[in-house]
PDB file of all heavy atoms in Angstrom:
ATOM      1  N   VAL B 196     -77.159 111.443-128.312  1.00  0.00           N
ATOM      2  CA  VAL B 196     -78.351 112.164-128.751  1.00  0.00           C
ATOM      3  C   VAL B 196     -77.922 113.061-129.911  1.00  0.00           C
ATOM      4  O   VAL B 196     -76.941 113.793-129.790  1.00  0.00           O
ATOM      5  CB  VAL B 196     -78.931 113.018-127.610  1.00  0.00           C
ATOM      6  CG1 VAL B 196     -80.003 113.967-128.141  1.00  0.00           C
ATOM      7  CG2 VAL B 196     -79.511 112.122-126.524  1.00  0.00           C
ATOM      8  N   LEU B 197     -78.621 112.988-131.023  1.00  0.00           N
ATOM      9  CA  LEU B 197     -78.252 113.804-132.185  1.00  0.00           C
ATOM     10  C   LEU B 197     -79.456 114.563-132.727  1.00  0.00           C
ATOM     11  O   LEU B 197     -80.599 114.135-132.591  1.00  0.00           O
ATOM     12  CB  LEU B 197     -77.698 112.932-133.306  1.00  0.00           C
ATOM     13  CG  LEU B 197     -76.212 112.555-133.317  1.00  0.00           C
ATOM     14  CD1 LEU B 197     -75.879 111.953-134.670  1.00  0.00           C
ATOM     15  CD2 LEU B 197     -75.327 113.751-133.034  1.00  0.00           C
ATOM     16  N   HIS B 198     -79.154 115.686-133.384  1.00  0.00           N
ATOM     17  CA  HIS B 198     -80.188 116.483-134.017  1.00  0.00           C
ATOM     18  C   HIS B 198     -80.251 116.209-135.518  1.00  0.00           C
ATOM     19  O   HIS B 198     -81.293 116.243-136.137  1.00  0.00           O
ATOM     20  CB  HIS B 198     -79.854 117.964-133.814  1.00  0.00           C
ATOM     21  CG  HIS B 198     -80.950 118.695-133.154  1.00  0.00           C
ATOM     22  ND1 HIS B 198     -80.869 119.159-131.860  1.00  0.00           N
ATOM     23  CD2 HIS B 198     -82.186 119.027-133.589  1.00  0.00           C
ATOM     24  CE1 HIS B 198     -81.995 119.730-131.537  1.00  0.00           C
ATOM     25  NE2 HIS B 198     -82.807 119.670-132.564  1.00  0.00           N
ATOM     26  N   GLU B 199     -79.044 115.971-136.063  1.00  0.00           N
ATOM     27  CA  GLU B 199     -78.879 115.871-137.509  1.00  0.00           C
ATOM     28  C   GLU B 199     -79.299 114.479-137.984  1.00  0.00           C
ATOM     29  O   GLU B 199     -78.610 113.491-137.692  1.00  0.00           O
ATOM     30  CB  GLU B 199     -77.401 116.158-137.790  1.00  0.00           C
ATOM     31  CG  GLU B 199     -77.039 116.341-139.229  1.00  0.00           C
ATOM     32  CD  GLU B 199     -77.806 117.457-139.881  1.00  0.00           C
ATOM     33  OE1 GLU B 199     -77.845 118.577-139.323  1.00  0.00           O
ATOM     34  OE2 GLU B 199     -78.386 117.184-140.945  1.00  0.00           O
ATOM     35  N   LEU B 200     -80.433 114.396-138.735  1.00  0.00           N
ATOM     36  CA  LEU B 200     -81.001 113.090-139.049  1.00  0.00           C
ATOM     37  C   LEU B 200     -80.113 112.238-139.946  1.00  0.00           C
ATOM     38  O   LEU B 200     -79.928 111.047-139.710  1.00  0.00           O
ATOM     39  CB  LEU B 200     -82.376 113.264-139.699  1.00  0.00           C
ATOM     40  CG  LEU B 200     -83.422 113.945-138.808  1.00  0.00           C
ATOM     41  CD1 LEU B 200     -84.761 113.996-139.528  1.00  0.00           C
ATOM     42  CD2 LEU B 200     -83.552 113.214-137.488  1.00  0.00           C
ATOM     43  N   SER B 201     -79.570 112.856-141.004  1.00  0.00           N
ATOM     44  CA  SER B 201     -78.760 112.060-141.929  1.00  0.00           C
ATOM     45  C   SER B 201     -77.503 111.550-141.251  1.00  0.00           C
ATOM     46  O   SER B 201     -77.054 110.433-141.502  1.00  0.00           O
ATOM     47  CB  SER B 201     -78.392 112.888-143.165  1.00  0.00           C
ATOM     48  OG  SER B 201     -79.566 113.128-143.916  1.00  0.00           O
ATOM     49  N   LEU B 202     -76.938 112.376-140.376  1.00  0.00           N
ATOM     50  CA  LEU B 202     -75.758 111.976-139.614  1.00  0.00           C
ATOM     51  C   LEU B 202     -76.109 110.783-138.719  1.00  0.00           C
ATOM     52  O   LEU B 202     -75.345 109.813-138.604  1.00  0.00           O
ATOM     53  CB  LEU B 202     -75.301 113.167-138.767  1.00  0.00           C
ATOM     54  CG  LEU B 202     -73.813 113.369-138.519  1.00  0.00           C
ATOM     55  CD1 LEU B 202     -73.054 113.471-139.825  1.00  0.00           C
ATOM     56  CD2 LEU B 202     -73.595 114.630-137.687  1.00  0.00           C
ATOM     57  N   ALA B 203     -77.290 110.859-138.100  1.00  0.00           N
ATOM     58  CA  ALA B 203     -77.733 109.773-137.222  1.00  0.00           C
ATOM     59  C   ALA B 203     -77.885 108.470-138.021  1.00  0.00           C
ATOM     60  O   ALA B 203     -77.396 107.419-137.608  1.00  0.00           O
ATOM     61  CB  ALA B 203     -79.050 110.146-136.545  1.00  0.00           C
ATOM     62  N   ALA B 204     -78.527 108.569-139.175  1.00  0.00           N
ATOM     63  CA  ALA B 204     -78.752 107.370-139.991  1.00  0.00           C
ATOM     64  C   ALA B 204     -77.425 106.805-140.487  1.00  0.00           C
ATOM     65  O   ALA B 204     -77.262 105.585-140.601  1.00  0.00           O
ATOM     66  CB  ALA B 204     -79.655 107.712-141.169  1.00  0.00           C
ATOM     67  N   ALA B 205     -76.474 107.690-140.777  1.00  0.00           N
ATOM     68  CA  ALA B 205     -75.198 107.241-141.324  1.00  0.00           C
ATOM     69  C   ALA B 205     -74.330 106.554-140.280  1.00  0.00           C
ATOM     70  O   ALA B 205     -73.594 105.632-140.596  1.00  0.00           O
ATOM     71  CB  ALA B 205     -74.446 108.427-141.921  1.00  0.00           C
ATOM     72  N   TYR B 206     -74.415 106.972-139.043  1.00  0.00           N
ATOM     73  CA  TYR B 206     -73.460 106.479-138.050  1.00  0.00           C
ATOM     74  C   TYR B 206     -74.041 105.486-137.047  1.00  0.00           C
ATOM     75  O   TYR B 206     -73.288 104.838-136.333  1.00  0.00           O
ATOM     76  CB  TYR B 206     -72.825 107.657-137.297  1.00  0.00           C
ATOM     77  CG  TYR B 206     -71.781 108.363-138.109  1.00  0.00           C
ATOM     78  CD1 TYR B 206     -72.063 109.548-138.778  1.00  0.00           C
ATOM     79  CD2 TYR B 206     -70.502 107.825-138.232  1.00  0.00           C
ATOM     80  CE1 TYR B 206     -71.096 110.189-139.534  1.00  0.00           C
ATOM     81  CE2 TYR B 206     -69.528 108.453-138.985  1.00  0.00           C
ATOM     82  CZ  TYR B 206     -69.828 109.639-139.629  1.00  0.00           C
ATOM     83  OH  TYR B 206     -68.876 110.263-140.368  1.00  0.00           O
ATOM     84  N   ALA B 207     -75.372 105.398-136.960  1.00  0.00           N
ATOM     85  CA  ALA B 207     -75.938 104.550-135.908  1.00  0.00           C
ATOM     86  C   ALA B 207     -75.814 103.068-136.253  1.00  0.00           C
ATOM     87  O   ALA B 207     -76.089 102.655-137.381  1.00  0.00           O
ATOM     88  CB  ALA B 207     -77.406 104.907-135.694  1.00  0.00           C
TER      89      ALA B 207
END
Side-chain angles (χ1 to χ4, degrees):
Chain B
V196 169
L197 275 192
H198 236 109
E199 190 58 50
L200 298 183
S201 292
L202 214 57
Y206 284 100

